[in-house]
Amino acid sequence: MKAKFELTKEQKNEMAKRIKGYFERERDEQIGDLAAQLILEFFIEELGPMFYNIAVEDCHTYMAEKLEDMFEIQKR
């Protein structure tokens, strides 16, 4: 597994734009591009792996269910 998520410049810019929008809407604060980028980097480094692991667990559960479905067909 990669140690860090790799995002394109465009993806990072879009995510930073959404962070800035969130601060404006929900907190009535304006933050700059640098602050949004730093928040994004925090999310990527600190929270990203947790979301990744949840997704992997969900995929594992899904695949296990589908595999079980295949074995059910075989038993008939």
Side-chain angles (χ1 to χ4, degrees):
M1 182 176 87
K2 294 179 183 177
K4 188 174 180 181
F5 290 95
E6 292 182 20
L7 302 171
T8 66
K9 184 177 180 178
E10 292 79 18
Q11 290 171 318
K12 285 184 178 182
N13 288 340
E14 176 62 26
M15 290 178 183
K17 179 181 168 186
R18 290 179 184 215
I19 290 169
K20 289 173 69 172
Y22 170 82
F23 272 82
E24 282 189 42
R25 280 189 318 278
E26 301 297 327
R27 301 181 49 91
D28 199 27
E29 293 179 43
Q30 290 189 349
I31 63 171
D33 293 335
L34 179 59
Q37 290 288 340
L38 292 173
I39 291 169
L40 177 58
E41 287 301 318
F42 169 78
F43 289 158
I44 291 170
E45 292 175 13
E46 298 294 328
L47 304 178
M50 292 179 201
F51 286 108
Y52 178 85
N53 288 338
I54 291 168
V56 169
E57 289 173 15
D58 288 349
C59 289
H60 179 266
T61 300
Y62 175 81
M63 294 303 292
E65 289 172 0
K66 295 303 175 191
L67 187 58
E68 186 61 36
D69 288 347
M70 289 177 58
F71 283 126
E72 286 297 321
I73 292 171
Q74 182 183 20
K75 292 177 185 176
R76 293 179 187 187

